[in-house]
């Protein structure tokens, strides 16, 4: 008898954060918008887009994983608002000179080292000994190992 396993959702792999950054930077440059894309203005625009995203969930109560009750038009609108948030986040990171993919990995390592499990405690101790408690290549290597071992 075959088990009925739910299919795991994955993103497409054809576009990286760097690809998005380059395309958005060109889009802004072609329109001479750099003068308006200050960190403060981008943050305020990002907050506005998060508000628009929030409106899609407002008054719905809890929403099931996969959004089974949503129409295709609602799902498309959700994708547009999530895209706006991501685009502004990437643009803000660029203008603040934050390497977002590296910062994400560093933050994931930091979050994982806070886990109270025996494995998490070991990792925190090892990272502290090897790096003096700071972020470094060892952390990213350990995080990459952690991510692949939990799949």
């Amino acid at each position: 008898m075959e088990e009925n396993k739910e299919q795991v959702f994955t993103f497409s792999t054809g576009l990286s954060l760097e690809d998005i950054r380059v395309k958005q930077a060109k889009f802004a440059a072609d329109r001479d918008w750099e003068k308006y894309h200050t960190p403060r203005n981008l943050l305020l625009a990002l907050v506005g887009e998060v508000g628009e995203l929030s409106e899609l969930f407002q008054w719905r109560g809890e929403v099931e994983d996969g959004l089974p009750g949503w129409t295709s038009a609602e799902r498309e609108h959700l994708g547009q608002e999530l895209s706006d948030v991501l685009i502004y986040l990437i643009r803000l990171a660029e203008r603040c000179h934050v390497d977002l993919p590296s910062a994400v990995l560093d933050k994931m390592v930091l979050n994982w080292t806070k886990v109270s499990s025996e494995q998490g405690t070991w990792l925190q101790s090892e990272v502290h000994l090897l790096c003096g408690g700071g972020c470094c290549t060892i952390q990213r290597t350990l995080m990459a190992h952690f991510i692949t071992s939990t799949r």
Side-chain angles (χ1 to χ4, degrees):
M1 189 167 98
E2 229 177 274
E3 283 186 42
N4 184 12
K5 290 187 177 181
E6 188 176 322
Q7 188 174 4
V8 176
F9 175 81
T10 60
F11 293 127
S12 59
T13 58
L15 195 64
S16 70
L17 292 181
E18 176 61 11
D19 294 335
I20 297 167
R21 186 200 65 75
V22 168
K23 289 177 187 301
Q24 185 59 27
K26 181 176 180 350
F27 182 82
D30 288 350
R31 287 152 184 80
D32 196 28
W33 287 353
E34 279 94 356
K35 59 188 168 215
Y36 306 113
H37 284 192
T38 64
R40 177 188 174 276
N41 287 346
L42 290 166
L43 176 61
L44 292 175
L46 174 62
V47 170
E49 293 300 336
V50 169
E52 290 181 25
L53 177 61
S54 299
E55 287 176 353
L56 300 179
F57 289 86
Q58 190 175 18
W59 314 121
R60 288 182 181 256
E62 286 302 315
V63 177
E64 288 184 47
D65 192 18
L67 311 176
W70 289 42
T71 66
S72 59
E74 289 171 326
R75 295 167 76 71
E76 183 177 344
H77 189 190
L78 174 63
Q80 292 169 353
E81 296 305 335
L82 286 168
S83 297
D84 285 340
V85 168
L86 181 61
I87 289 166
Y88 275 117
L89 179 64
I90 291 170
R91 187 73 170 148
L92 176 61
E94 175 191 33
R95 299 301 279 196
C96 293
H97 297 191
V98 172
D99 179 357
L100 200 51
S102 292
V104 166
L105 279 180
D106 290 345
K107 182 60 177 169
M108 290 174 77
V109 168
L110 183 63
N111 290 344
W112 193 62
T113 59
K114 292 178 182 178
V115 174
S116 61
S117 72
E118 186 176 297
Q119 207 174 24
T121 303
W122 171 83
L123 179 62
Q124 186 173 11
S125 301
E126 289 298 309
V127 167
H128 184 75
L129 287 172
L130 294 169
C131 306
C135 294
C136 69
T137 305
I138 287 288
Q139 285 180 306
R140 290 200 184 103
T141 303
L142 290 169
M143 187 63 196
H145 173 70
F146 167 72
I147 289 170
T148 53
S149 68
T150 57
R151 286 187 181 159

